[in-house]
Structure formats: C-alpha cells, structure tokens
Amino acid sequence: MSAAQRNRVALAGAVLGLAALTGFVGLAPPASAHASLVGTDPEQGALLDAAPAAVTLTFTEPMDDLAEVVVSGPDGADLADGAPVVDGAVVRQSVVATGAARAAGTWSIAYRATSADGHPLTGQVTFSVGAPTEPTSETITEPTSEPTSEPTSEPTSEPTTEPTTEPTTEPTTEPTTEPSTEAATDAAAPEETASAASSSGPGLPTRDVVVPLALLGAAVALWLLSRRLPAGPPS
Amino acid sequence: MSAADQTTGRGLGRRRLLRSGAVALAGAGAGWAGSAAARAADGAAPPAAADDVLTISPPDGAETVPYLGPHQAGVATPPQAHLVLLGLDLVDGTDTDDLRRLLRVVGDDAARLTQGEPALSDTEPELAPRPSRLTVTIGLGPRVVDELVPGDLTLAPLPSFSTDRFEEPWGQTDLALQLCADDPTTLAHARRMLLKDTASFATVRWVQTGFRSARGSQPDGTTMRNLMGQVDGTVNPAQADGDFADLVWADGPGAFAGGTVMVVRRIRSEMDTWDKVSRQGKELAVGRRLDTGAPLTGTAEHDEPDFDAVDDNGLKVIDAASHIARARSDDPAERFLRRGYNYQVHRDDGTDDAGLVFTVFCADAERQFVPVQRRLAQQDRLNEWITTIGSAVYAVPPGVASTDDAPGLALLEES
C-alpha cells in the first residue's frame, strides 16, 4: 500500500467515522418539551358525594381550542354536555345536570387535547360518585354499602345496586391500577410517556450499530494516520 | 406469457397503443414487448435490444391531448406533471374587439402547440415537437365577465374567508392561462410564446409554477402527495363517476354550456411548524394515515371513513375537527374537481415558501366550493399549518369544434 493510498484510506476512514458520528447526532430524537397534563378536577381516584356539574383538565401550557372530552357515567353513557371549553391551559367540560345516568359508581373522563404546536394528548381519568365500590378495605366497605343501598332502596334499587357492585368493580380495578399510576406518579399524560417510549424505541438499534461503527472508523483512521507519519515525507 | 400479455399485464398497454398510432403498430411485435420490458425492469439492466426498440415506440414527449372538443383541455385531463399558471391583466382601454383578438391569438397558439406544431412565427420551432400532453386552458376573471362579456353569464368574486391572509401579488387577475405538460421545457416554450403573443393586450401580474411527481415515477392515476407528505385528493370525483359532468361542466347560460369555473387558491404550508408535529398529531389533523392515505378508521386509501367510530376510551377515531371530517359534506353537490400542484419557491429572506397551487374546477363555485371552504375556515385542525395567501376565480369557456373558432369567442357574440 503506497503512502498516497494509505492516505486516502485514512481519509475515508476518518470521513466514515465522522459521518457515522454526525449521523448518530442527527438521528437522536429532537429534544422536545411537549405539553402534559398536570391535574384534573375531580382528581384521579377521587370520591365525590355528588355527581359533578363539570370536569376540568389542566395542562402545562395553553391548549388548542379543539379538544374532545367524553365523560362516562357508571353505565357507560356519555354525560358530557356540549363541547368542551378551552381557556388557556384549562379544558372544561360541562356535565349534564339531570338524568338517571348521573348515577353513583365509577365515572371516567376520556380526553384528547392538542397543544398549540399540534401535539395530541389523550388519556383517561376515573373517579367515583357516592362511594367507591371496591371492597378493598373495611373503612371503605362500610360507607359503600350504606349510601348506595339507601338511595337505591327506592325506585332505582335494581339498576343502581347492580351496576355499582358488578361493573364498577371491574372498571375501577383496571383504571386505578393502570392510568392512575401514571396520573398519580408524575401527573404526566399517558400519551406523552407512550410517545416518548415509541420515539426512543426505534432509535436504540440504530445507536447500537452506529456508535461502534463510528468508533471503529475513527480507530482505523487514527491507525492509518499513525502508520503514515513515520513513513517519511510524501513523494 | 406472451409479449402482448406482458404489456397489458403491466397496465401500460392499452393507452400506449392507442396514442402511438401507426408507428407503434408497425413495430408492434418486438417494439412493445421491448418497451414494456425496459420500463418494467425497475433498475435491472435493460435488454440489449432496448435502444432499437425505444426509437420505434414513441416516448411520452410525443403524447398529445386533443385540443378540439366540447370542453377545454386541462380540466378533465389527467394532471400532467408540471404547471405554469399565468395571471394576466388586460391593458387599460381594452374593449370587446381587443379581447376577441386576444382570444384568437391564444386559441391559435394553443391549437398548434398542444399538437406538437410550432406557433405562428415561432422563434424556437425546435421546441414544439414534444408537446408532452401540453394543454392550454383560458379563464376569464369577474371583471372581464362583467364588463366585456355580453349575455347572462355572471361570475361573482369569492367571498372572503376568516383564514384568508392574502399577499401580493397572488390576487384576482383579468385572465388566467393554465399551461400544463409533462415536460418543463415544453412548458417553458409554450409560456414564452403565449406571453409574447399576448404582450400587446395584457400584462403579467403573477406566474404560479407547480409540480407533481414526474410522469412514469409512479403508476398513472396515483393520488398526488403534497409537500406536507399527505396523500392529497383521494375523494376527487373521477370521470367515470356518474355525476362528474354535473359537478364540473356548467350547463349554461347560453354559450357557456360546457364551460366550468376555475378557483385558484395559493395555500402556503407552514413547513417549519408542521415539521415539529408528531406523526400522531399530523394524522389526527388530517384524519388519514400519512403512509397509505387511508382514513384512520380504514386500511386502504379509498376506504370510506367512519366518522362515528370511537376508540376504547370513547373518543372519536377520526377527530371531528380533522380536515377530512370538516371537508366532508352530506350534500353530494358540495364536491368539486381538485387539480392542484405543489409549489416551492425561494424567498428573499433565505427561506423556502412551499405549498399548493390549489386549483378547483366546478360548475358553480358558490354552490359547490364556497360552503366547503367556509366550513374549513370555521374549523379545521389543518388550519394551524396552512395559510391561504392568494385567491382568484375564473370562468373557463367551453371548448371549440374547429380551429377557426377559439375558446371564449362565442361568449362575445351573445347579446
């Protein structure tokens, strides 16, 4: 291998290493501070005495006017009254004021809101009206049976007791274990965590390949350059 | 599989045979098979005989779109790859006779150039023989219709919409000349000839150039992609549709029967902010997947969107404020033919301005286009990233049956 050839190879190696390194930098997901959910009213897992007149969702930054909020009562009916009103970082959704669907039991708020830069946040929050139906501890079990059985003893006895004991246990256990951990731990929107995970996912294998490649390229370049130096002046 | 089967199997056969005429038929056996094979190779080495074969079969540049017919070409014509849209203003004091002369000049140039012949006194006749499906379509602006066209034809300017952010010079002009071809060189020549020949009648206010994917880069009929990456134009009415003619061609008044109305909106894409949106946010804004163009409730581009579908949380899969949800009308009359082109130009401030020369053809803009645009202006997630910077509307006269006539002349004979 002549000096000129080695020179060329070294240069190619250096370029390759550099390209791989910059490529790696270029591939890194852009640092972004997307909006996230900071709180809701009612809060995740809250226990209310009566059905709310409205629910609100508060985000870290002003949100786009176009939001969708679905408020579901224990029987699954959508209790949202009209379109949500977005006021800066707060999204407020009125709840229908009357109707049998405003029943005791577990409710859920599903939302989709977009930040001003168009990033959508979706998630779900659950809370209970009247009493939590989950018979997990004595203290909660006592009041649960009381308030639910009292209003239900009259005309609504059948529809309310059934849904509160049966379907509510299911929705409550699931949402409280899943979304509640997210909402409770850092109050971040589930969407945010999900998208962050998915964006870093495909980046990982690339990084695994690119970094060693870059290092290898740089090493080859250095080796060839170091060999070239004592080889005397170029002809 | 025989050679002929191969050709038609690729979907190239019939149209190419039709347009190639006697030359191709003469060399049919070997010619078509070779041509198809060369095209089908997709990067593989072409057969040895390909060079001979390609000289026999006419290339795309030889293809012409008929100039004569009940409608002007360039409307129902499958969109060519390139657009030059000229916005012209008549010189002060233009009367009906002057307009008549201008229409004759444009018609004569169109009749020749679109058929691959040099224009009269063509200074570069060598640029004429590859028309590459060139079409020339002339439209008359509201002022011309109002002041110079007798008869009952009326053309109202478009109303203003809350999302309008007009910039000079992209406004209404007296005339529009829409030139389309698959070859930009052909287009440059046609543009020069038409501007030279109309220079004594009219001045140029603006030139809007546009492009789609190159001819042959994807199967003919593929829905275009705009520069935001979206499949754009999936629900366009097709000529095969029963109501295409009703949607596109006016049935009058008088000599305007067979004409159409052209709406031109220059819509900038705010690429810098769009680029920051997650894929999820982009798809939510449009209501379609970016990769296939399928509605978010479907799997293929032409699947019918299900605007009522909800996800596990009870939220709409296709957001009610998404572009496709807002653009959709229950009224089948609120549809129109879109024939837009991408544009990308460099600005003095060192940045690019990119977007769509959004061109619509319909029988009645007020009835068909305005209600849809009004709904989109009121609410459309996409509005965050698109800005309408120009707007104009033109009456496009019907076609002509003879080169002795020219589009628009008949309108001037009415009283």
Side-chain angles (χ1 to χ4, degrees):
Chain A
M1 197 188 249
S2 78
Q5 272 176 325
R6 258 205 319 270
N7 207 359
R8 223 171 292 144
V9 172
L11 192 69
V15 167
L16 188 76
L18 198 67
L21 276 169
T22 49
F24 165 65
V25 172
L27 282 171
S32 58
H34 282 311
S36 58
L37 183 71
V38 289
T40 62
D41 182 19
E43 288 179 357
Q44 164 65 31
L47 172 59
L48 309 184
D49 292 336
V55 299
T56 60
L57 305 150
T58 305
F59 297 88
T60 49
E61 59 182 74
M63 302 302 279
D64 190 281
D65 284 345
L66 308 172
E68 185 183 358
V69 179
V70 174
V71 182
S72 303
D75 65 354
D78 185 5
L79 298 174
D81 184 17
V85 176
V86 181
D87 182 11
V90 178
V91 177
R92 185 176 192 278
Q93 174 65 59
S94 293
V95 173
V96 293
T98 56
R102 286 170 54 90
T106 299
W107 292 43
S108 72
I109 309 168
Y111 62 89
R112 175 162 57 210
T114 8
S115 57
D117 64 2
H119 183 71
L121 295 166
T122 67
Q124 200 183 24
V125 174
T126 55
F127 63 93
S128 297
V129 172
T133 45
E134 215 177 2
T136 39
S137 70
E138 308 259 11
T139 45
I140 299 176
T141 328
E142 292 288 338
T144 323
S145 50
E146 291 283 333
T148 16
S149 54
E150 258 176 47
T152 42
S153 57
E154 287 258 289
T156 28
S157 65
E158 235 70 281
T160 349
T161 32
E162 298 272 63
T164 37
T165 42
E166 261 219 57
T168 12
T169 39
E170 249 141 23
T172 350
T173 40
E174 272 212 47
T176 36
T177 44
E178 259 210 64
S180 73
T181 41
E182 267 152 9
T185 46
D186 58 355
E191 196 75 32
E192 183 73 320
T193 36
S195 73
S198 70
S199 66
S200 64
L204 280 172
T206 330
R207 199 178 305 175
D208 288 346
V209 175
V210 164
V211 173
L213 200 72
L215 292 173
L216 186 72
V220 167
L222 282 172
W223 176 71
L224 284 167
L225 281 170
S226 67
R227 281 199 50 184
R228 198 195 134 237
L229 283 175
S235 50
Chain B
M1 195 189 228
S2 75
D5 285 341
Q6 266 181 354
T7 329
T8 42
R10 289 286 303 171
L12 297 167
R14 191 192 294 168
R15 184 178 50 74
R16 286 173 176 272
L17 274 172
L18 283 175
R19 77 151 193 263
S20 55
V23 181
L25 286 175
W32 285 106
S35 166
R39 283 229 164 211
D42 285 336
D51 285 349
D52 303 334
V53 163
L54 288 173
T55 56
I56 295 170
S57 61
D60 289 340
E63 194 170 349
T64 58
V65 175
Y67 167 71
L68 301 176
H71 314 293
Q72 286 194 64
V75 179
T77 307
Q80 301 93 323
H82 298 274
L83 164 78
V84 168
L85 187 62
L86 304 169
L88 307 181
D89 287 325
L90 295 172
V91 297
D92 286 347
T94 299
D95 61 18
T96 305
D97 282 341
D98 298 326
L99 179 60
R100 191 175 284 120
R101 279 192 285 275
L102 178 146
L103 293 174
R104 279 204 182 282
V105 166
V106 171
D108 188 70
D109 281 354
R112 293 169 195 272
L113 292 169
T114 61
Q115 304 309 300
E117 298 163 21
L120 281 182
S121 68
D122 198 324
T123 42
E124 288 80 27
E126 294 76 12
L127 295 178
R130 286 168 300 282
S132 304
R133 297 201 299 145
L134 174 69
T135 56
V136 176
T137 316
I138 187 166
L140 313 176
R143 192 172 78 107
V144 174
V145 171
D146 192 36
E147 295 179 12
L148 297 177
V149 176
D152 298 329
L153 181 63
T154 57
L155 181 66
L158 291 182
S160 59
F161 301 98
S162 57
T163 45
D164 292 347
R165 302 285 182 275
F166 295 154
E167 295 178 7
E168 289 299 325
W170 312 114
Q172 181 71 55
T173 59
D174 287 338
L175 301 173
L177 289 177
Q178 180 198 247
L179 317 182
C180 298
D182 290 321
D183 183 343
T185 309
T186 302
L187 215 44
H189 179 237
R191 165 181 172 173
R192 175 161 168 74
M193 289 312 301
L194 281 156
L195 288 182
K196 271 168 73 170
D197 290 346
T198 56
S200 56
F201 303 99
T203 56
V204 181
R205 175 106 63 88
W206 44 248
V207 177
Q208 304 197 43
T209 59
F211 54 89
R212 291 169 167 241
S213 293
R215 185 90 190 277
S217 68
Q218 56 190 2
D220 284 355
T222 303
T223 309
M224 75 173 276
R225 275 188 194 272
N226 60 36
L227 296 178
M228 299 169 93
Q230 303 150 351
V231 175
D232 191 340
T234 299
V235 295
N236 230 4
Q239 252 183 303
D241 296 349
D243 54 358
F244 181 88
D246 289 340
L247 289 171
V248 176
W249 308 120
D251 54 7
F256 193 65
T260 183
V261 173
M262 174 168 69
V263 174
V264 179
R265 309 273 290 174
R266 190 170 178 88
I267 303 175
R268 172 182 296 152
S269 300
E270 306 296 349
M271 296 303 297
D272 290 341
T273 51
W274 176 251
D275 287 348
K276 293 194 173 74
V277 183
S278 64
R279 193 171 189 83
Q280 193 187 15
K282 290 177 176 179
E283 293 184 339
L284 176 72
V286 181
R288 290 186 180 278
R289 293 176 57 100
L290 283 168
D291 54 358
T292 56
L296 294 180
T297 53
T299 53
E301 184 196 343
H302 291 281
D303 286 351
E304 191 63 21
D306 179 357
F307 294 107
D308 297 323
V310 293
D311 64 13
D312 293 343
N313 288 339
L315 299 166
K316 289 267 174 64
V317 177
I318 297 177
D319 189 86
S322 67
H323 182 70
I324 65 167
R326 296 295 300 168
R328 183 63 63 110
S329 173
D330 292 334
D331 183 349
E334 290 180 3
R335 289 155 62 224
F336 39 79
L337 177 67
R338 283 176 281 166
R339 205 176 182 281
Y341 285 82
N342 295 313
Y343 78 81
Q344 185 177 41
V345 294
H346 198 63
R347 283 186 285 222
D348 290 342
D349 68 1
T351 62
D352 272 356
D353 176 11
L356 209 56
V357 183
F358 179 81
T359 310
V360 159
F361 291 97
C362 57
D364 182 343
E366 285 171 88
R367 172 82 181 86
Q368 297 168 249
F369 172 74
V370 171
V372 176
Q373 185 54 46
R374 201 166 265 150
R375 235 181 4 258
L376 294 177
Q378 188 190 20
Q379 189 185 72
D380 174 4
R381 280 190 181 274
L382 209 52
N383 287 344
E384 180 72 27
W385 304 282
I386 60 175
T387 310
T388 306
I389 59 172
S391 179
V393 61
Y394 303 93
V396 176
V400 292
S402 154
T403 51
D404 295 334
D405 196 358
L409 283 183
L411 292 175
L412 305 184
E413 307 311 321
E414 298 200 318
S415 55

